[in-house]
Amino acid sequence: MKMLINVAETVVADALRGMAAAHPELTVDVENRVVVRRDAPVAGKVALVSGGGSGHEPLHGGFVGPGMLSAACPGEVFTSPVPDQMVRAAAAVDSGAGVLFIVKNYTGDVLNFDMAAELAEDEGIQVAKVLVNDDVAVTDSLYTAGRRGTGATLFVEKIAGAAAEEGQPLDRVATLARQVNENSRSFGVALSACTTPAKGSPTFDLPAGELELGVGIHGEPGRERRAMMTSREIADFAVNALLDDMSPRNPVLLLVNGMGATPLLELYGFNAEVQRALTERGVAIARTLVGNYVTSLDMAGASVTLCQIDEETLRLYDAPVRTPGLRWGM
């Protein structure tokens, strides 16, 4: 497989050096693998820290900035960051108002963030944690006990980040983050496998002419494999899977997310079918976001995330944000 890299061993460090050069509004510690908004710590503001394996960009480093995360900890490709990174990040951004750890439900992330929370509290930093587990495709997977954390991570980080930016206290920011997660559901589809730099070949076997329904963001198996389907058929399958697990009473936020190698031409066409499927089932859509936000290296495919919102969460979603991967209102 051809890749625009030097050697596999330096992929993450090289990416962080490039990120630092492109975004002077961030402080990027390449050696210690921590990305921090340059104005941190912000007096009186709850800090948000997240992280996970690299390969899902712009998640998480691309969501650091006003209105979202205070810091992010990138691990090696598809590998959890280590507790020292998280403690270093928490110390860099804590203003005394506390730190919220936002953790996707993958075993390594959960264990390491739990350990980091204990170490940070030993240093006098008040920490709260929120677990994101929005994927309805499977209950357990290769990487998790329970549901995987996927697209809802963006909504959690955006809405909780806006609340923190307003100066809301740690317990309220954490409650909002948990509420967003509980009101969110995701479902992903892979048209091709992804390729990690270290392996240099597809991470799983997906024959030509087939697709994986319910795939995870590391290529974990989903519900089933089928012969290739049309965009309309995939949209109906994904929406049915989501609505089998939730019954929105309020309007929803909709994320149609590319897995990394799907062109916007296809994603917008897929969004049209998702919009149709939701409208036919009586689901009102408040806002729509289309693009590559929670990716899986060079995987072709897409995921659909719905988040039921109320007046407050919609206001916080609409609040200004300025990060490398998401920006509006500023």
Side-chain angles (χ1 to χ4, degrees):
M1 300 292 291
K2 296 178 181 178
M3 293 184 177
L4 194 62
I5 66 173
N6 293 315
V7 294
E9 292 77 12
T10 66
V11 165
V12 175
D14 291 345
L16 289 174
R17 288 191 297 106
M19 185 178 204
H23 298 285
E25 71 275 17
L26 302 177
T27 299
V28 182
D29 184 338
V30 177
E31 181 179 355
N32 293 299
R33 308 288 174 90
V34 176
V35 180
V36 178
R37 53 184 282 183
R38 187 169 288 279
D39 61 352
V42 179
K45 177 187 174 300
V46 170
L48 273 62
V49 175
S50 193
S54 296
H56 305 303
E57 290 73 23
L59 189 81
H60 290 278
F63 296 148
V64 174
M68 283 190 84
L69 296 177
S70 306
C73 309
E76 291 297 328
V77 173
F78 292 177
T79 302
S80 173
V82 297
D84 284 353
Q85 289 174 260
M86 302 159 191
V87 175
R88 190 181 298 271
V93 298
D94 179 40
S95 68
V99 175
L100 179 65
F101 282 167
I102 298 173
V103 188
K104 300 190 304 303
N105 188 32
Y106 296 96
T107 302
D109 289 13
V110 172
L111 292 173
N112 287 350
F113 269 101
D114 282 349
M115 186 179 300
E118 294 178 8
L119 294 170
E121 287 170 348
D122 288 343
E123 295 186 9
I125 301 172
Q126 184 183 6
V127 176
K129 294 175 292 183
V130 171
L131 189 69
V132 181
N133 57 352
D134 55 305
D135 187 1
V136 305
V138 294
T139 301
D140 297 303
S141 74
L142 298 176
Y143 290 77
T144 63
R147 290 181 167 180
R148 303 175 290 216
T150 57
T153 312
L154 182 150
F155 291 146
V156 171
E157 293 177 355
K158 174 63 188 75
I159 291 169
E165 207 70 42
E166 290 183 348
Q168 297 194 35
L170 179 60
D171 59 349
R172 179 56 184 160
V173 175
T175 296
L176 277 166
R178 294 186 186 105
Q179 176 186 328
V180 171
N181 175 65
E182 290 165 4
N183 288 331
S184 298
R185 302 290 188 276
S186 294
F187 190 88
V189 179
L191 310 184
S192 72
C194 59
T195 301
T196 62
K199 192 170 187 287
S201 60
T203 55
F204 62 98
D205 178 42
L206 185 57
E210 295 186 5
L211 77 167
E212 182 86 27
L213 294 164
V215 71
I217 57 173
H218 308 92
E220 311 99 302
R223 290 187 177 182
E224 61 179 290
R225 286 189 179 179
R226 289 191 182 182
M228 186 59 196
M229 300 157 64
T230 65
S231 177
R232 184 185 186 93
E233 292 168 335
I234 295 170
D236 283 328
F237 192 101
V239 168
N240 285 338
L242 294 169
L243 297 184
D244 282 348
D245 205 86
M246 70 185 303
S247 300
R249 298 177 305 280
N250 297 340
V252 298
L253 304 175
L254 167 63
L255 170 63
V256 173
N257 172 68
M259 293 293 198
T262 304
L264 276 172
L265 179 71
E266 296 176 31
L267 287 178
Y268 279 121
F270 183 54
N271 176 55
E273 294 298 343
V274 172
Q275 300 267 344
R276 171 198 55 78
L278 288 169
T279 300
E280 288 177 354
R281 291 155 179 81
V283 178
I285 304 163
R287 301 286 186 274
T288 302
L289 186 62
V290 179
N292 290 286
Y293 294 102
V294 184
T295 62
S296 184
L297 294 169
D298 60 342
M299 182 187 289
S303 62
V304 180
T305 302
L306 303 180
C307 175
Q308 182 177 227
I309 47 91
D310 57 21
E311 185 175 327
E312 181 182 19
T313 48
L314 180 59
R315 178 184 66 80
L316 291 168
Y317 178 77
D318 285 341
V321 59
R322 188 172 70 247
T323 72
L326 198 70
R327 56 179 61 210
W328 56 69
M330 286 188 172

